Structure formats: C-alpha cells, structure tokens
Amino acid sequence: MSKMNKWLLSSGLLGLLLTLSGCVSTNSDGTPNENGMIYRFLVKPLGNLITMLVENFDWSYGWAIIAVTIVVRLIILPLGIHQSKKTMIQSEKMQFLKPQVDIAQANLKKATTREEQMQAQADMQKIYSENNVSMFGGIGCLPLLIQMPIFSALYFTARYTQGIQNSEFFGISLGQPSFLFVAIAGISYLIQGYISTIGIPEEQKKTMKTMLIVSPLMIVFMSLSAPAGVTLYWVVGGVFSCLQTFITNVIMKPKIRAQVEAEMKANPPKTVVTPRKDVTPTQQTQPTTPKNLNHKNAKGRNAGKQQRK
C-alpha cells in the first residue's frame, strides 16, 4: 500500500467521525435539526420505519435497528462491491507496473537538478497514464459521498428515534452505553480488517498493520460514550462489513487477479522509463586521451632507453 493510499484511508476514518456529526445539522443541544435536508429525507423516514416495525410486527427496537441497518446496507452493497472491484483491478495492474515505478523512483532519488526531478516525476505519471492505470489505485470519492450521508442518517436514527432510549434488547438498555456491544463492535471490525489482508503480499500486510488497529479503535472510541442503540448499529455494520470484505477479498479477488494476469500477458505494460546511467566524477574529470598519450610517451621513453643500451 502506497503512502498516498494509507493517507487516504486514515483521513477517511477521521472523515467518518466528522461526517457522522456533519451530514446531519444539529441544534445547540446536540439534537438533530428537523429542518435539515438529511434529517427530512433520511433520518425521519428511517425512524418512522423502525417505529412501524415495532408497532405493527411487535418487534423490539433492537431487532428493528438490526433490520433497518441490514436493509440499508443491502441497498448500497452493489455500490461498495463495484468500487472494491475497481480498486482491486487497479491494484493488480499496479503490481505489473512496479518494476518501472521502482526505476522512476530510483531516478528521482538520483536527480541532482530541478529539471531531472521534474522529468522523473513526469515519467512516474506517464507510466500510469500510458498503461491506463490510476495513480490512486481506483479510489473514488463518489461512493464515499453517497454512503456517508446514509451512514450518518442511520447513526442519528439509532440515537434519536423516540422509544429507543427507554427500550431493552436481551436485557441491555439501548439508551445507556453497553461495554458488551462495544467489545463486539471492536472485534467485528478487527475481523473485517483481518479478512481484508487475505491474499495480500506480505510487504503490503506490514504497511496495513496500523490501519488494522486504528479502525477498530476508532469504532470503540465512538461507541464508548454512545447509547447501546447506536453501538448496536455499529455491531451490525461490522458484521456486514466482514461479509462484504469476504465477498470481495476471498471470492472475487482470485478471479480478478487471474483476469488481470491474462490481460497483462496478452498486452504487456508499455515500457516508459529506463534506469539512469550516471557518470562518475572521476570519469568526467579524467578524459581518456591524456592517459593514452602518457602511455605512448612512456613507451617512447622506454624505447629510447633500450636503443641507448
């Protein structure tokens, strides 16, 4: 995983925390603003759906939260899988470009002038553009922009829907923090992180270790002070994320890898850069002609000595 990808992932986790409080406008006391667009079009309908399930099917609010979360996640599942597929295709293609990328990076390190640095950077971009590969590994903003308001709406629905605060689920009050739910949520996202490493080269696994720890810690941090109804939403989301990651990493990835290998075999990557052949300072300052002349002169002097003898 490149530094850019790690930065995007870590900033994405921070963005998740900010989005949960930013997509839905709130009042000074922290309650959602009922005039906000996300509240009117997402939070309120989802809250009404939970209330309907409780009143018409005699469900508990816990089961209603689980059902609504699963339904919403199923609706956006194709979008997530499609984005994961694009990312994996780009990532697999980047493995075939790695030798050239390494050369461009080596040339950049050897560059001594501004012009050489710019040329090495241009070569880096050209490697990707000439081979129709994204430098960002297929990471797109549109799926995140679509999903984040939905996740935010689910969060506020579970937190502020009337009736949830005073209900229980398997003896656990949904209006109070639950350390059991916090632990389950953290473990589920930890498992999801482990599944995401299946089939990943060892070098990439080492760079992903930080993210595997940060993601569950962020979920635990957000859940510690949240009501159990909100944490239950995180639990269901974590389990669902495990399922989605299993589909993409375990089922889809081997097929995508074989497909890309066949494609690269039929159409090998274009060669864009070659290693720089640096000239050493001694070679630059000591021309070959004087050496040859000195050598000839030496032979001439020796020849003269031999004749005198």
Side-chain angles (χ1 to χ4, degrees):
M1 182 181 292
S2 65
K3 291 183 178 180
M4 177 63 71
N5 286 346
K6 288 195 292 181
W7 179 85
L8 288 171
L9 287 173
S10 59
S11 61
L13 288 173
L14 179 59
L16 173 61
L17 180 59
L18 296 176
T19 302
L20 288 176
S21 59
C23 281
V24 178
S25 58
T26 57
N27 300 317
S28 58
D29 58 355
T31 59
N33 180 4
E34 297 185 2
N35 295 322
M37 184 178 66
I38 300 297
Y39 181 88
R40 287 188 289 115
F41 289 100
L42 289 176
V43 177
K44 191 173 182 179
L46 289 174
N48 292 337
L49 178 58
I50 289 176
T51 303
M52 184 197 72
L53 291 173
V54 172
E55 293 177 351
N56 295 338
F57 294 94
D58 197 25
W59 286 7
S60 68
Y61 278 96
W63 284 116
I65 291 173
I66 292 173
V68 170
T69 303
I70 291 176
V71 169
V72 172
R73 294 297 292 257
L74 283 174
I75 292 174
I76 63 177
L77 178 63
L79 179 63
I81 290 179
H82 175 70
Q83 182 61 32
S84 297
K85 182 179 179 180
K86 285 179 57 180
T87 302
M88 285 189 291
I89 291 174
Q90 295 292 311
S91 178
E92 291 298 325
K93 287 184 177 180
M94 288 175 72
Q95 296 301 316
F96 288 88
L97 299 182
K98 190 175 185 302
Q100 288 197 66
V101 172
D102 290 342
I103 292 174
Q105 291 176 341
N107 290 345
L108 182 60
K109 291 181 180 179
K110 294 177 182 178
T112 56
T113 65
R114 179 61 179 170
E115 289 74 15
E116 291 177 349
Q117 291 176 353
M118 293 177 64
Q119 181 60 48
Q121 292 171 351
D123 288 341
M124 182 80 72
Q125 296 177 356
K126 192 175 180 181
I127 292 170
Y128 292 105
S129 62
E130 289 289 329
N131 292 281
N132 297 319
V133 176
S134 170
M135 292 184 67
F136 299 103
I139 296 177
C141 295
L142 181 60
L144 289 176
L145 292 176
I146 294 174
Q147 293 179 57
M148 283 304 182
I150 297 174
F151 293 155
S152 179
L154 280 170
Y155 174 87
F156 278 92
T157 299
R159 190 176 186 102
Y160 292 107
T161 298
Q162 292 184 356
I164 293 179
Q165 299 296 321
N166 300 320
S167 62
E168 292 186 352
F169 185 63
F170 288 103
I172 298 175
S173 174
L174 296 180
Q176 301 295 327
S178 169
F179 291 106
L180 177 61
F181 283 178
V182 171
I184 296 174
I187 292 172
S188 65
Y189 279 93
L190 190 64
I191 294 173
Q192 186 266 340
Y194 170 76
I195 297 174
S196 68
T197 63
I198 296 176
I200 299 294
E202 290 298 324
E203 293 183 0
Q204 293 186 17
K205 285 183 181 180
K206 292 178 181 179
T207 61
M208 292 175 66
K209 283 183 179 180
T210 302
M211 297 308 305
L212 296 181
I213 298 174
V214 170
S215 180
L217 286 179
M218 290 286 290
I219 298 300
V220 169
F221 172 76
M222 290 186 286
S223 301
L224 278 174
S225 59
V230 174
T231 310
L232 181 60
Y233 150 68
W234 286 116
V235 170
V236 179
V239 174
F240 206 92
S241 294
C242 290
L243 175 62
Q244 179 176 327
T245 306
F246 182 84
I247 293 172
T248 55
N249 253 48
V250 179
I251 298 177
M252 292 175 53
K253 191 164 190 174
K255 298 178 181 179
I256 290 174
R257 180 172 293 166
Q259 174 186 340
V260 172
E261 286 180 357
E263 181 182 340
M264 290 294 104
K265 186 176 181 180
N267 301 292
K270 297 179 182 178
T271 301
V272 176
V273 297
T274 55
R276 275 186 55 187
K277 295 181 180 179
D278 288 346
V279 180
T280 60
T282 55
Q283 290 175 325
Q284 292 177 345
T285 56
Q286 296 180 5
T288 55
T289 303
K291 287 184 178 180
N292 294 336
L293 291 175
N294 291 337
H295 184 63
K296 289 180 180 179
N297 291 338
K299 283 185 177 181
R301 287 194 299 270
N302 291 337
K305 290 180 181 179
Q306 289 176 356
Q307 290 176 356
R308 286 195 296 272
K309 288 180 179 180

